[in-house]
Amino acid sequence: MSAPVVLHLNNEGKLTPRSRFTGAFRRLQAGGFLVHVPKAPRAELIRGGRHAALAALEDGILQYRPDVIFVQSPHGFPFSYEDVTRLLRLAGSPLVVYQEGDAWGRNKRLPLSSRSWLRVADAVFSVAGGAQLAMLRSIARKQVRYVPHTLPLDCFPEQDCSAPPGERAAFDVVTIGNSVVRARIVPRLPGAGDRARVVRGLGRLDCRFGAFGLGWHGPYARGPVPFERQIAVLHSARMSVGWDHYGKYPGYFSDRLPICGAAGRVHVGQYRPGMGWLPGAPDGLHLVRTPRDVVERVKTLLHSEQRELDSAGERLRRWMRSRLTDLQSVQFMLGQFMPLPTPPADPWQQIAAWEESPE
């Protein structure tokens, strides 16, 4: 029996070997589990406009006749509901699996193209619980399951993640993330004010601190860093700190948490309900509840022996790279529809049984 064909609708403006999920699908194709057909409608839109992009997608559907369409956060292309239903008819009504990899809410509204795909999806996965899960359920009119952000393996290969000892690092602490806080303006993203409080608090510590990203000012501001350079920045410090937006969404964290963990440095981040399946402080991941807690935990860790920090960071690196990558995420999302290798029971059994914590 031939392997099932998966048409992967990537949401990036340029399709490359390092595009998200592409490496995971390539590994599964090499194992004979599926045939991967990547398409980037947003890239086609930029090159030739809407009609040319739709025509290219239709040609791909007619050529490959996919068994499954994997729709990855389709926000960069103006799909209408009519576009989507026509494409599915051409494809012979394949299974549609929708992955929502962003957090939405307040005045950041889910685009029409995403709503169009949600209406036809057979399975929906979201990186955030709470209000987001309820919103997606109301549009899709079916169960929406939780799947966390994971490490994009091919963006950060193993040879780039092996951490050098932190004793000669240029910084004691680094954080990566933009500031959207402006004077007398309510931030568009929930949690932006708390992120600013974290950075200001770290800036007052007696340590070498660097804040990488747009919008920061002061002696610790280091400017933006390209996505693929994040590991190098993390290796330049003894430890890292992160604070995500949408702090009231259970289970939600951005991909920066697994990226920081994969760098082999101790990481201090924000705890929220539904994250109990992640490793804890003994394995290098310190999740705390408030900006003040972040600063206090960093202050304590700064006095730790460097060999202890390095050992904990290495345990965290190994955990992330073996258990929380885009490969395991694809196995988890598509494994119920086709015979794929099973992701590690730790933590994927807990993720499969995930429920929003009442805390």
Side-chain angles (χ1 to χ4, degrees), residues 147-171:
V147 63
H149 265 300
T150 51
L151 174 72
L153 273 173
D154 282 41
C155 294
F156 304 102
E158 174 70 35
Q159 63 268 24
D160 295 343
C161 291
S162 297
E167 57 190 357
R168 294 188 178 88
F171 297 96

Side-chain angles (χ1 to χ4, degrees), residues 263-316:
R265 293 289 189 252
V266 166
H267 181 71
V268 182
Q270 179 188 11
Y271 173 83
R272 54 191 79 183
M275 295 174 66
W277 53 270
L278 284 162
D283 292 315
L285 183 59
H286 298 254
L287 298 178
V288 298
R289 295 177 183 271
T290 70
R292 179 178 294 180
D293 292 339
V294 170
V295 177
E296 291 302 316
R297 184 63 57 91
V298 169
K299 189 186 301 184
T300 299
L301 289 170
L302 286 170
H303 297 290
S304 300
E305 293 287 340
Q306 188 58 49
R307 64 176 180 274
E308 295 176 3
L309 295 177
D310 289 343
S311 295
E314 176 61 14
R315 289 193 293 275
L316 184 59

Side-chain angles (χ1 to χ4, degrees), residues 8-9 22 43 74-75 120 126 159 167 177 210 239 263 310 348 353:
H8 169 201
L9 298 190
T22 300
H75 316 314
V120 302
S126 169
Q159 63 268 24
E167 57 190 357
M239 69 189 74
D310 289 343
W348 289 94

Side-chain angles (χ1 to χ4, degrees), residues 164-303:
E167 57 190 357
R168 294 188 178 88
F171 297 96
D172 292 307
V173 186
V174 296
T175 188
I176 302 175
N178 299 331
S179 172
V180 296
V181 174
R182 301 291 182 270
R184 295 183 295 278
I185 298 177
V186 177
R188 176 171 177 259
L189 297 176
D194 280 344
R195 177 181 287 182
R197 282 184 276 275
V198 166
V199 169
R200 287 197 298 267
L202 294 173
R204 289 192 288 267
L205 293 180
D206 183 19
C207 71
R208 300 166 300 162
F209 170 54
F212 290 80
L214 295 170
W216 300 115
H217 304 281
Y220 48 74
R222 302 294 168 175
V225 57
F227 183 80
E228 66 276 7
R229 288 283 300 162
Q230 290 183 79
I231 293 290
V233 167
L234 295 163
H235 282 171
S236 72
R238 298 176 63 206
M239 69 189 74
S240 64
V241 168
W243 192 273
D244 285 314
H245 299 127
Y246 292 93
K248 293 185 178 180
Y249 284 7
Y252 176 69
F253 51 84
S254 74
D255 60 3
R256 196 158 290 121
L257 187 149
I259 291 170
C260 287
R265 293 289 189 252
V266 166
H267 181 71
V268 182
Q270 179 188 11
Y271 173 83
R272 54 191 79 183
M275 295 174 66
W277 53 270
L278 284 162
D283 292 315
L285 183 59
H286 298 254
L287 298 178
V288 298
R289 295 177 183 271
T290 70
R292 179 178 294 180
D293 292 339
V294 170
V295 177
E296 291 302 316
R297 184 63 57 91
V298 169
K299 189 186 301 184
T300 299
L301 289 170
L302 286 170
H303 297 290

Side-chain angles (χ1 to χ4, degrees), residues 143 145-148 251 253 271 273-280 283 319 323-324 332 342-357:
Q143 180 187 13
R145 299 179 64 191
Y146 171 71
V147 63
F253 51 84
Y271 173 83
M275 295 174 66
W277 53 270
L278 284 162
D283 292 315
W319 193 95
R323 291 176 170 84
L324 200 65
F332 177 76
T342 304
D346 172 20
W348 289 94
Q349 283 186 357
Q350 290 174 271
I351 293 171
W354 187 87
E355 294 183 5
E356 297 184 20
S357 169

